[in-house]
Amino acid sequence: MTTLDILCAGATKAAMMDFSTWLAQRSDIGLNFTFGPVGQLKERILSGAGGQLYVLSRPALQNLSEVGRVQPETIADVGTVGVGVAVRKGAAVPDVSSVDALRRALLDAQSICYGDPARGDSSGIHFASVIDRLGIREAVEPKLVLAPMGLEVVRMVAGGEVQLGATQSAVILANPGVALAGLLPEPLQHLTTYAAGLAVAASDAAHQVLKSLMSDEARPLFERAGLHV
């Protein structure tokens, strides 16, 4: 069996794990994943980390192609997601449907978790700016908890370590221990498009995997995970 190293944004984990199972039933290619924040993975690739296929935000892949790390003609979108708010399964669900409602929910929350912007977490970078735009930074600062990435945000919410979590909606929907309270209201929303692209020295097997990844047959795996095109 051929095994390929793939670096993927955490928001794509559920879809990519399902894809790996789907691919194993149709080929002799195995996938070895590294999941993490986009910014952190991008730095690893720039520093010479391995991997033949990358699934990151489209801007990150485009930047990597400009510096000769990714084949630009192979970049293709796998889906777009928005930022949502998570609560523990069975807990009271706050109203986050409007700007005012979201402000009240955050002010009333005992604790709020999001991905660490310093680690390059896409949703965390945006949510930090949302707090500032709402004008509540000083009020909520004592109850903010930073997680390494979105996958850890939902794990902490599911475990009852924090009351509210903000991350990509696909990450929230993939964890049975949490519920999606709602997406951020439109004036504060930020959509992220994730794409796949091949490393410059990608093998024929990697090209085959990318072709399968972008096939109509694999598309439902991403739709079910909340990655829509």
Side-chain angles (χ1 to χ4, degrees):
M1 172 184 282
T2 300
T3 302
L4 296 180
D5 291 330
I6 303 182
L7 277 61
C8 301
T12 69
K13 183 175 182 178
M16 292 303 295
M17 294 301 291
D18 285 347
F19 172 72
S20 180
T21 301
W22 179 89
L23 184 69
Q25 297 167 351
R26 293 162 174 80
S27 76
D28 62 350
I29 300 175
L31 305 180
N32 180 41
F33 294 108
T34 297
F35 295 101
V38 168
Q40 198 171 72
L41 293 178
K42 179 183 170 185
E43 289 304 313
R44 287 186 59 180
I45 295 167
L46 288 171
S47 66
Q52 297 194 49
L53 175 64
Y54 309 129
V55 183
L56 307 173
S57 66
R58 173 168 269 279
L61 282 179
Q62 289 174 329
N63 180 258
L64 288 168
S65 73
E66 291 167 0
V67 295
R69 298 290 186 176
V70 170
Q71 301 177 44
E73 70 278 7
T74 67
I75 297 175
D77 295 344
V78 299
T80 298
V81 297
V83 179
V85 176
V87 296
R88 191 178 189 184
K89 197 78 168 181
V93 179
D95 179 9
V96 296
S97 61
S98 68
V99 173
D100 287 341
L102 177 64
R103 181 184 289 109
R104 286 194 299 271
L106 297 179
L107 288 172
D108 291 343
Q110 295 180 345
S111 52
I112 306 160
C113 184
Y114 60 94
D116 189 352
R119 291 175 178 256
D121 185 82
S122 301
S123 60
I125 292 169
H126 176 67
F127 193 71
S129 73
V130 167
I131 291 173
D132 292 332
R133 289 169 63 185
L134 290 172
I136 59 173
R137 168 69 62 179
E138 185 174 350
V140 301
E141 191 76 51
K143 53 188 179 182
L144 295 180
V145 179
L146 297 181
M149 58 180 172
L151 294 171
E152 284 297 302
V153 172
V154 294
R155 183 195 65 76
M156 293 174 71
V157 174
E161 299 174 53
V162 292
Q163 184 179 2
L164 298 183
T167 189
Q168 304 288 16
S169 58
V171 178
I172 298 171
L173 294 171
N175 190 311
V178 301
L180 178 65
L183 296 174
L184 297 185
E186 188 173 348
L188 297 174
Q189 185 56 267
H190 176 73
L191 300 178
T192 299
T193 296
Y194 292 95
L198 293 175
V200 172
S203 64
D204 289 343
H207 281 267
Q208 182 181 334
V209 170
L210 180 61
K211 183 178 179 180
S212 296
L213 185 68
M214 302 312 301
S215 68
D216 291 340
E217 292 77 13
R219 184 67 239 157
L221 302 174
F222 294 87
E223 292 291 332
R224 285 200 298 269
L227 287 154
H228 305 296
V229 293

